[in-house]
Amino acid sequence: MMYKVICEVSFPALGIQLDINIPINKTVEYVTKMLDKIIQENVSTKYQSKPNSILVNKRTGSVYDKNVLVKNTDICNGSKLTYY
């Protein structure tokens, strides 16, 4: 069984794109906190996380509800996401 998907995540505020493994059995809110941690640890230690950050499907423009499990969204291998 597959437990993670690999997605291309863009961070417009930082001007970078990263390929990230996203766990499908966690909520979108968990993923946003995970992305904040990845940015702080690997990209910029001065990055400040925001409580109203959103994860957006880059192709459709739809914003993901933070209370939904990733496996119940359209996020799959190869998805292109943007994190604001």
Side-chain angles (χ1 to χ4, degrees), residues 43-82:
V43 179
S44 174
T45 56
K46 296 178 182 179
Y47 175 79
Q48 295 294 319
S49 60
K50 299 174 226 155
N52 59 347
S53 294
I54 57 171
L55 193 61
V56 179
N57 184 310
K58 200 173 195 179
R59 291 184 181 134
T60 65
S62 60
V63 178
Y64 294 106
D65 182 353
K66 288 189 175 188
N67 299 315
V68 176
L69 290 176
V70 172
K71 68 181 174 183
N72 295 331
T73 67
D74 62 352
I75 297 173
C76 59
N77 279 322
S79 291
K80 294 186 180 211
L81 308 172
T82 303

